[in-house]
Amino acid sequence: GENVEQHPSTLSVQEGDSAVIKCTYSDSASNYFPWYKQELGKRPQLIIDIRSNVGEKKDQRIAVTLNKTAKHFSLHITETQPEDSAVYFCAALGPSLKLSFGAGTTVTVRA
Amino acid sequence: EAQVTQNPRYLITVTGKKLTVTCSQNMNHEYMSWYRQDPGLGLRQIYYSMNVEVTDKGDVPEGYKVSRKEKRNFPLILESPSPNQISLYFCASSTYSDRGLDGYTFGSGTRLTVV
């Protein structure tokens, strides 16, 4: 089955700096890669996703890149703000429609 | 309002006493899924369903059962709860196509304690 690894597990950045989270996946047939943000005590919420026919996608301060050859994808947050502090999860959807998640990255933005 | 509704939010039970956590969505989604969230392990899929009467095992199905008799409901059943099932549980639903999932929405979560 699909195995998703996420790094780093914790990330502390100064407000205004960029944050990068990286994920690798094992199943080359996976074709959909969403990212979720989970604030303390709340449910995960989709912030951006990318499909296998695209290499990069951007939405304001958030961007995701996908390298299918290397089987890795990354989340980039620019100009970080205190409200970006949360746990972020990457995920990969395999051909059987099983969605597998990484273990999560706790991002702390220092004021 | 489009949503995924889970009940209850908090559940305390005793070892071995059967329980059901309900999940309902009002978005006519084909795809529904259950996850458990544990510190350091992220979200692990328990079971998922691509449509009525179609269910498949996720990564950690042991000790759980599900059913999908209606499109909107996907209950999670613990026949004999044990302490290793103490966790935060999320239900989620989505439409899907050959392009992947679309509109993946999580419920508000159910925190289960087994004593």
Side-chain angles (χ1 to χ4, degrees):
Chain A
E2 177 66 273
N3 181 41
V4 179
E5 294 193 358
Q6 183 172 346
H7 299 280
S9 57
T10 61
L11 181 59
S12 179
V13 296
Q14 189 69 38
E15 182 178 358
D17 288 350
S18 295
V20 180
I21 303 170
K22 298 181 179 181
C23 288
T24 61
Y25 61 99
S26 59
D27 191 339
S28 57
S30 293
N31 62 3
Y32 174 67
F33 307 91
W35 286 88
Y36 295 87
K37 175 183 180 182
Q38 186 179 29
E39 296 174 345
L40 193 61
K42 297 190 176 181
R43 74 191 78 185
Q45 294 202 305
L46 179 70
I47 54 172
I48 196 167
D49 57 12
I50 191 167
R51 302 187 192 270
S52 58
N53 58 345
V54 175
E56 184 175 357
K57 184 176 178 180
K58 190 173 181 181
D59 182 4
Q60 300 182 13
R61 296 185 298 108
I62 294 173
V64 58
T65 58
L66 171 65
N67 183 327
K68 285 216 73 180
T69 303
K71 291 190 283 188
H72 69 71
F73 56 114
S74 301
L75 178 71
H76 304 253
I77 307 173
T78 58
E79 300 171 23
T80 52
Q81 301 168 4
E83 53 265 37
D84 294 328
S85 294
V87 180
Y88 291 81
F89 293 98
C90 63
L93 184 70
S96 59
L97 292 183
K98 191 158 79 77
L99 188 63
S100 298
F101 284 77
T105 297
T106 301
V107 174
T108 304
V109 180
R110 307 186 306 273
Chain B
E1 181 189 350
Q3 58 186 355
V4 178
T5 303
Q6 275 180 248
N7 280 299
R9 288 292 308 274
Y10 300 93
L11 183 54
I12 301 174
T13 190
V14 296
T15 299
K17 185 177 181 181
K18 180 179 178 180
L19 66 88
T20 300
V21 185
T22 64
C23 176
S24 180
Q25 50 91 8
N26 62 359
M27 296 168 280
N28 202 35
H29 285 166
E30 300 89 356
Y31 186 99
M32 296 187 76
S33 183
W34 276 103
Y35 294 87
R36 60 178 289 174
Q37 184 175 19
D38 302 289
L41 297 176
L43 291 150
R44 293 180 293 167
Q45 194 170 39
I46 303 170
Y47 271 96
Y48 62 106
S49 168
M50 288 187 279
N51 218 323
V52 175
E53 302 292 0
V54 179
T55 61
D56 285 288
K57 294 179 180 179
D59 293 316
V60 289
E62 297 77 19
Y64 305 94
K65 285 176 60 177
V66 293
S67 68
R68 188 90 182 273
K69 294 185 171 58
E70 305 165 284
K71 197 172 187 178
R72 62 183 292 126
N73 296 323
F74 191 44
L76 179 69
I77 302 157
L78 283 72
E79 293 272 2
S80 182
S82 64
N84 66 9
Q85 292 178 302
I86 293 173
S87 188
L88 177 60
Y89 292 86
F90 285 102
C91 179
S93 75
S94 172
T95 58
Y96 76 90
S97 68
D98 56 0
R99 292 177 62 243
L101 301 178
D102 197 14
Y104 207 76
T105 304
F106 282 87
S108 53
T110 296
R111 186 165 294 281
L112 173 65
T113 300
V114 182
V115 298

